[in-house]
Amino acid sequence: MSAVAQPAFAQAVLVWARIALLSFGGPAGQIALMHRELVDERRWLSEPQFLHALNFCMLLPGPEAQQLATYIGWLKHGIRGGIAAGTLFILPGAVAILLLSLAYATLGDTPALQALFFGLKAAVLAIVVDAVVRIGRRAIRSGAAMAITAAAFIAIFFFAVPFPLIIASAALIGLLGARLASSAATHGGPVEPVLVEARRNTRLAAVAFLLLWLVPVALLLVILGRGNVFTEIALFFSRMAVVTFGGAYAVLAYVAQQAVGEYGWLSAEAMLDGLGMAETTPGPLIMVTQFVGFMAAAGQATGLPPLLAGILGGLLTTWVTFTPCFLWIFAGAPYVERLRGNLRLARALAAITAAVVGVILNLAIWFSIHFLFAEVRTVESGPFRFDSPILSSVDPLAAALSLAAMVAVFRFRAGAVSALLGCAIASLIARLLL
């Protein structure tokens, strides 16, 4: 692909560092920031190039904004460019979440910090509901899409069906629908020429990242065995890295379902606190998984000091979450043009997106139940299992802050950071006055 401008590598590193430090507001804001910096202001890419790169990254599991940075870095400066752009995009958020995790583990019982995180939860609830509405408007455009959304919600909320199974089922439905609609739906677009040497080197980079991802996981499995928290962290978040289609909010529903309900690594309230951290720091929202890994390892008997175990658990989580992102980019980048115009694949992705709406709706309801109500009971009968709030235990302050956050987000279109900071400050003031 030809670029409008070809920056020097050192210049590109500085620009990627700037983008990383300013990448607040979730994937939509991060993608908009990259578009402004790289297309509008610096003209490193044309509009069609940027959109085609974005479409490619939307096909992949993992955080699309970080993968978009990696792919554009590869387009500009090959493998070293992709590694530099992708790593810099992660680094500020990883450092911030690690420091906040340490503060949370050591100062979490202080009233002021509790009040701040209480306010963050109210804003997080409004932000997740907004995500349901925004993605739903794009994804639910037919009765079939509505049926897939409803089925996904029922499966995960009432029957605790694993997120990967929901995604695989939706993809299969989409592929079958495409096959019935047209037998010619597999025609791809024109393939852009890629130098054989560049293709070979990029394939080698993909193999290297595959080994960097799986070898540490295998070593932990052999040395520590199943049941050890570090092994379980590596295995769980490696599985997550393969099925994280649909954006961070869909993934967080899966993480919350497993980390809170299945593994017992942290409470629902702590999960909400972690999401508040990720919303207020730069970088991918999925960086909240580092907090989950920190709390998981810090709370288990590992033979290490809890804080050291937490740091290692958080870093291990980040490693197995993001190393596969580089693998997907380098494995697919030389052949990305083959994906253009693949209608069958587009149908599969449309079905996945519809299912994701149901999964995110589950996340919004799960958050609201555990934040707005002090008491929750589990209703269970055979495979049928869900959390039900005790209505008389509603928290008035939580309800008031959530309502204010909803008004700010939906009526006044407040951004994520503004809503989070506003609710945190309002919660702190309320705690001081009450």
Side-chain angles (χ1 to χ4, degrees):
M1 296 181 181
S2 60
V4 176
Q6 180 61 34
F9 179 68
Q11 179 191 1
V13 168
L14 292 176
V15 172
W16 288 119
R18 168 185 164 81
I19 289 173
L21 291 170
L22 297 175
S23 60
F24 294 90
Q30 292 158 0
I31 291 168
L33 172 64
M34 276 189 276
H35 184 275
R36 186 177 72 245
E37 290 279 343
L38 305 178
V39 178
D40 294 339
E41 295 184 5
R42 305 180 191 278
R43 301 190 181 278
W44 288 3
L45 294 163
S46 66
E47 185 76 19
Q49 284 178 319
F50 184 88
L51 293 177
H52 187 54
L54 178 59
N55 289 338
F56 167 52
C57 294
M58 293 292 287
L59 298 175
L60 304 173
E64 59 267 31
Q66 186 266 346
Q67 289 173 322
L68 178 61
T70 305
Y71 181 64
I72 294 174
W74 176 82
L75 283 177
K76 297 285 96 180
H77 297 100
I79 296 166
R80 65 171 181 164
I83 293 173
T87 302
L88 284 170
F89 197 85
I90 298 166
L91 195 57
V95 172
I97 293 293
L98 181 60
L99 294 176
L100 287 171
S101 298
L102 287 166
Y104 186 87
T106 55
L107 304 173
D109 292 334
T110 60
L113 197 61
Q114 285 183 340
L116 288 173
F117 277 108
F118 189 85
L120 290 179
K121 292 173 187 175
V124 164
L125 178 57
I127 291 166
V128 174
V129 172
D130 182 55
V132 174
V133 174
R134 285 188 291 103
I135 299 174
R137 284 173 178 165
R138 294 201 311 263
I140 304 175
R141 300 187 177 218
S142 67
M146 177 65 77
I148 292 173
T149 298
F153 171 75
I154 292 170
I156 196 169
F157 185 82
F158 290 107
F159 296 95
V161 175
F163 178 62
L165 182 57
I166 292 173
I167 291 299
S169 300
L172 181 61
I173 291 170
L175 288 171
L176 291 175
R179 186 171 183 179
L180 292 173
S182 173
S183 61
T186 59
H187 177 67
V191 180
E192 292 282 350
V194 178
L195 293 176
V196 174
E197 188 67 26
R199 181 178 295 178
R200 187 191 305 93
N201 289 341
T202 307
R203 271 202 303 262
L204 290 174
V207 172
F209 275 97
L210 177 65
L211 295 175
L212 287 170
W213 170 28
L214 295 182
V215 168
V217 176
L219 288 175
L220 287 172
L221 188 59
V222 170
I223 296 171
L224 300 180
R226 291 299 301 264
N228 182 278
V229 66
F230 292 112
T231 304
E232 294 305 315
I233 286 172
L235 292 173
F236 172 67
F237 287 105
S238 290
R239 290 195 301 271
M240 187 202 72
V242 179
V243 298
T244 52
F245 297 94
Y249 291 111
V251 179
L252 290 174
Y254 176 47
V255 172
Q257 179 193 59
Q258 297 294 308
V260 176
E262 183 70 22
Y263 291 99
W265 285 338
L266 73 172
S267 66
E269 291 74 18
M271 184 72 200
L272 282 166
D273 291 336
L275 184 54
M277 292 180 195
E279 290 276 15
T280 51
T281 52
L285 184 59
I286 199 61
M287 193 61 74
V288 67
T289 56
Q290 180 174 282
F291 172 75
V292 175
F294 181 100
M295 297 299 291
Q300 301 289 319
T302 62
L304 299 172
L307 291 182
L308 176 58
I311 291 170
L312 294 176
L315 294 177
L316 173 61
T317 301
T318 299
W319 183 264
V320 297
T321 298
F322 288 99
T323 303
C325 296
F326 292 95
L327 165 62
W328 310 142
I329 291 295
F330 291 139
Y335 313 100
V336 61
E337 291 298 320
R338 297 183 187 275
L339 299 175
R340 190 186 304 185
N342 191 316
L343 301 181
R344 188 169 292 177
L345 185 59
R347 290 288 186 94
L349 288 171
I352 289 173
T353 305
V356 160
V357 176
V359 173
I360 301 175
L361 177 60
N362 160 76
L363 180 69
I365 294 176
W366 185 86
F367 276 177
S368 64
I369 288 173
H370 288 277
F371 176 56
L372 298 176
F373 300 91
E375 298 178 35
V376 177
R377 63 187 178 93
T378 300
V379 178
E380 190 169 3
S381 178
F384 186 77
R385 185 178 186 275
F386 69 98
D387 290 339
S388 175
I390 307 299
L391 298 181
S392 60
S393 69
V394 65
D395 185 328
L397 180 58
L401 286 172
S402 298
L403 179 60
M406 293 286 184
V407 172
V409 170
F410 285 94
R411 175 66 179 85
F412 297 103
R413 306 311 305 167
V417 174
S418 298
L420 287 157
L421 292 178
C423 285
I425 293 170
S427 176
L428 184 60
I429 294 172
R431 292 293 189 186
L432 292 174
L433 295 177
L434 296 177

